[in-house]
Amino acid sequence: MSQEEYFTRREFLKAASVLGLGSTVLSVLGLADLAFASTHPLQYFKAVRDTKSLTALEKEHLINIRLPAIAEDGANVPIVVSMGHPMERDHYIKSIQILNFRDPVVNKGIYYFTPANGEAYISTQIRMDGGDAEIFVIAECSKHGKWIASKKLKVSLGGC
Amino acid sequence: MAEEYQFGQPKLRLPSTIQKGEVIEVKVKIKHPSRTGLRLVEDAKTPFERFVRERPAIYIKTVEVFYGAERISLFELNSSTSDDPLLAFKVRADREAPLKVVFTNNQGKRFEVTEQVRFRT
């Protein structure tokens, strides 16, 4: 590999400043969503975006997250994740994963299921850092891949 | 002086009436700490020095659910689960068999609880 294939320091700084300026311009123009879209975790998975007009497939893979709007104690935040998905031998929810990207420990557990569970449902308590947070839940269907949903909450006192 | 950790045997609760083929909610709780063992350094010079290890980490690593001989669920947890968690999940009660839940912590210690599923109306 020759030297020319690498960025020089000067070129890198120039590119970085252009990129930085670009995202600033986009956000100023009210296109913050466009600048944000490239890094948002929702885009890598299938998600139900419009809950008012659901298709049959979306209705099946709708993830219900029950969380308090304001959690008093971050050391013990109750969360319930449930899905109305069928649990048949060839079509079921394989796993549910709970994530919060703002916390020191991002992964809040992976819960694996089989058709013998009858329903993809988990109720647990998690530790969270204080402040505004967004909980992401990824559910894996054996036929239709990974689906994601999120819910926002506020934690009064951090419990990490 | 560091606080002493409290451990306890897990407890499993089934609904009082179970019909054949019904999807039942099973609740299981355990007295077990969930700690990273790290301490936050307020005046750290670099981000890499923000946490120092004070004690070994202790948390529940896996929870396995057996219905009869079959393993029907596996929950992989870490230190972000709360202390003394109460977990609830569903099981399709299609046969009378023992329901066993096995907790394993990161130090390899096992705690288990078994309850018989009986059809009652």
Side-chain angles (χ1 to χ4, degrees):
Chain A
M1 200 179 278
S2 66
Q3 276 291 321
E4 286 112 47
E5 287 180 39
Y6 291 104
F7 265 134
T8 61
R9 185 172 172 274
R10 187 164 297 184
E11 278 167 355
F12 173 76
L13 288 173
K14 201 188 281 178
S17 66
V18 169
L19 277 175
L21 195 68
S23 60
T24 315
V25 168
L26 283 175
S27 57
V28 166
L29 289 173
L31 298 172
D33 282 351
L34 199 65
F36 183 59
S38 60
T39 54
H40 201 268
L42 275 176
Q43 63 156 339
Y44 298 108
F45 302 96
K46 291 171 205 151
V48 179
R49 309 212 181 252
D50 183 14
T51 46
K52 282 176 187 149
S53 57
L54 294 171
T55 63
L57 191 71
E58 282 180 340
K59 208 171 181 178
E60 226 170 39
H61 297 93
L62 195 64
I63 304 169
N64 303 311
I65 309 169
R66 269 204 349 243
L67 269 173
I70 299 171
E72 299 283 327
D73 183 9
N76 201 330
V77 182
I79 177 167
V80 180
V81 180
S82 62
M83 288 180 81
H85 192 278
M87 295 292 268
E88 291 151 6
R89 194 170 289 176
D90 56 341
H91 186 205
Y92 64 98
I93 294 296
K94 282 164 87 173
S95 69
I96 284 176
Q97 183 173 16
I98 304 172
L99 301 158
N100 178 18
F101 293 101
R102 275 192 68 250
D103 284 356
V105 183
V106 171
N107 180 14
K108 304 290 176 192
I110 312 179
Y111 306 87
Y112 295 96
F113 302 101
T114 57
N117 283 101
E119 191 183 332
Y121 172 97
I122 184 74
S123 162
T124 181
Q125 295 89 42
I126 55 175
R127 276 177 192 278
M128 290 184 71
D129 208 354
D132 291 313
E134 190 170 9
I135 291 273
F136 288 92
V137 175
I138 301 169
E140 188 181 1
C141 172
S142 61
K143 242 185 200 174
H144 301 106
K146 290 184 175 174
W147 292 71
I148 197 167
S150 72
K151 196 158 187 181
K152 287 182 181 163
L153 81 158
K154 192 175 256 183
V155 182
S156 306
L157 188 69
C160 282
Chain B
M1 196 181 127
E3 54 174 328
E4 281 295 313
Y5 291 144
Q6 302 275 316
F7 297 91
Q9 276 305 307
K11 286 177 184 163
L12 198 157
R13 182 184 275 183
L14 294 172
S16 52
T17 59
I18 303 171
Q19 289 175 346
K20 194 177 179 182
E22 190 189 357
V23 176
I24 56 168
E25 183 173 354
V26 179
K27 289 178 180 172
V28 61
K29 71 172 178 182
I30 183 169
K31 197 165 182 63
H32 193 288
S34 181
R35 306 289 159 85
T36 56
L38 301 175
R39 184 169 53 82
L40 181 68
V41 180
E42 295 291 347
D43 51 350
K45 287 187 188 110
T46 66
F48 304 106
E49 295 167 2
R50 274 188 75 209
F51 294 98
V52 289
R53 178 155 303 284
E54 204 173 44
R55 304 181 68 174
I58 184 156
Y59 52 87
I60 299 164
K61 205 170 179 187
T62 59
V63 181
E64 290 167 290
V65 183
F66 295 89
Y67 187 28
E70 182 194 3
R71 187 175 80 175
I72 62 168
S73 280
L74 166 69
F75 307 146
E76 285 180 358
L77 308 178
N78 55 30
S79 55
S80 66
T81 304
S82 303
D83 289 345
D84 313 337
L86 166 68
L87 301 172
F89 52 90
K90 302 267 175 137
V91 175
R92 194 195 304 273
D94 53 4
R95 59 188 187 275
E96 289 195 331
L99 190 73
K100 184 167 82 171
V101 180
V102 182
F103 292 82
T104 311
N105 72 9
N106 64 328
Q107 297 172 354
K109 206 170 172 191
R110 277 163 64 97
F111 303 87
E112 61 176 70
V113 59
T114 312
E115 201 69 48
Q116 181 74 25
V117 175
R118 283 199 185 89
F119 298 140
R120 254 172 284 168
T121 50

